[in-house]
């Protein structure tokens, strides 16, 4: 193998997405489902059983719940990507200390009008991603629960009311997270500290031979 071929292949590996293909597919599908859910919620009429938009919202919500569960399972099984412990660092003193140190580094960069250096293993960024995943999980789970316990009575109480109250309350937080997440990704991408190719490409990672 020539030196030029080896150099070209090494660059391919360096530029390839760092996330496993399953992670990227689940991320794309889940992001699409969340956008559909948030958009459809603005036009549906849940009190009308024949509302087609509400039907789309319900079935895409069930798919979103399956996707987010798949995301958690994949996070446990994958060999490449952010470890589950970094996504949920709240039960480890050492991980919490790492999150706090990384947060201060991010804050210092911003106060000096600089973008924080992108780090695939950033404890602070991983913790924020984990919180987003927990938020989406709770949102999808409450919607799924409502789907199965709903009696069709808009004034129903008990578990029906609890599920819908949680679901509608979390919706605003999901809006905020989605907008903030997308905005920060775009800023990092155009600021040169991150390539969106790392998550959105569905190309398999090339290997050196």
């Amino acid at each position: 193998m020539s030196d030029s071929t080896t150099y070209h292949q090494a660059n391919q590996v360096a530029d390839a997405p760092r996330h496993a293909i399953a992670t990227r597919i689940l991320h794309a599908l889940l992001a699409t489902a969340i956008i559909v859910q948030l958009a459809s919620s603005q036009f549906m009429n849940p009190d009308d059983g024949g509302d087609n938009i509400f039907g789309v919202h319900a079935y895409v919500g069930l798919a979103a719940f399956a996707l987010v569960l798949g995301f958690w399972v994949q996070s446990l099984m994958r060999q490449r990507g952010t470890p589950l412990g970094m996504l949920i660092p709240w039960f480890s003193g050492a991980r919490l200390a790492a999150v706090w140190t990384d947060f201060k580094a991010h804050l210092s960069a911003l106060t000096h009008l600089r973008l924080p250096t992108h780090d695939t293993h950033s404890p602070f960024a991983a913790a924020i991603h984990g919180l987003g995943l927990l938020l989406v999980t709770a949102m999808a789970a409450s919607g799924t629960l409502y789907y199965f316990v709903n009696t069709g009575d808009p004034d129903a109480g008990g578990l029906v009311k609890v599920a819908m109250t949680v679901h509608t309350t979390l919706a605003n937080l999901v809006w905020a997270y989605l907008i903030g997440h997308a905005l920060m990704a775009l800023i990092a991408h155009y600021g040169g500290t991150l390539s969106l190719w790392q998550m959105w490409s569905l190309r398999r990672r090339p290997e050196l031979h």
Side-chain angles (χ1 to χ4, degrees):
M1 181 181 294
S2 68
D3 290 342
S4 62
T5 301
T6 301
Y7 176 78
H8 175 69
Q9 288 185 333
N11 279 343
Q12 277 190 310
V13 173
D15 294 338
R18 297 174 184 174
H19 302 279
I21 184 68
T23 299
R24 285 176 272 137
I25 291 173
L26 284 168
H27 180 269
L29 291 174
L30 186 57
T32 301
I34 291 170
I35 291 171
V36 170
Q37 289 299 87
L38 292 176
S40 62
S41 68
Q42 304 304 302
F43 304 101
M44 67 185 186
N45 179 13
D47 295 335
D48 181 2
D51 184 356
N52 290 330
I53 298 179
F54 179 67
V56 169
H57 185 85
Y59 289 117
V60 174
L62 294 175
F65 184 56
L67 287 170
V68 76
L69 290 181
F71 211 111
W72 283 115
V73 171
Q74 202 272 333
S75 296
L76 284 169
M77 298 176 60
R78 65 188 176 193
Q79 297 179 340
R80 179 156 50 97
T82 306
L84 188 61
M86 289 186 67
L87 292 172
I88 309 177
W90 316 112
F91 306 103
S92 166
R95 290 193 183 278
L96 282 175
V99 170
W100 177 242
T101 299
D102 195 33
F103 168 74
K104 290 189 291 185
H106 277 69
L107 188 61
S108 176
L110 292 174
T111 55
H112 288 85
L113 301 180
R114 299 194 312 268
L115 285 176
T117 302
H118 175 69
D119 180 3
T120 305
H121 303 292
S122 165
F124 176 62
I128 296 298
H129 289 156
L131 286 175
L133 193 53
L134 287 171
L135 175 61
V136 171
T137 302
M139 181 75 172
S142 59
T144 299
L145 176 62
Y146 178 80
Y147 177 84
F148 286 109
V149 301
N150 180 31
T151 61
D153 178 6
D155 298 319
L159 193 57
V160 176
K161 183 177 181 179
V162 170
M164 182 47 62
T165 299
V166 171
H167 194 66
T168 54
T169 300
L170 292 178
N172 291 330
L173 294 177
V174 175
W175 270 112
Y177 182 83
L178 178 66
I179 294 171
H181 188 63
L183 183 61
M184 292 306 298
L186 289 172
I187 291 174
H189 178 78
Y190 289 107
T193 62
L194 168 70
S195 172
L196 292 179
W197 173 262
Q198 298 295 329
M199 177 56 79
W200 287 100
S201 169
L202 298 182
R203 186 184 69 179
R204 288 188 176 277
R205 181 182 177 92
E207 301 293 344
L208 289 175
H209 297 288

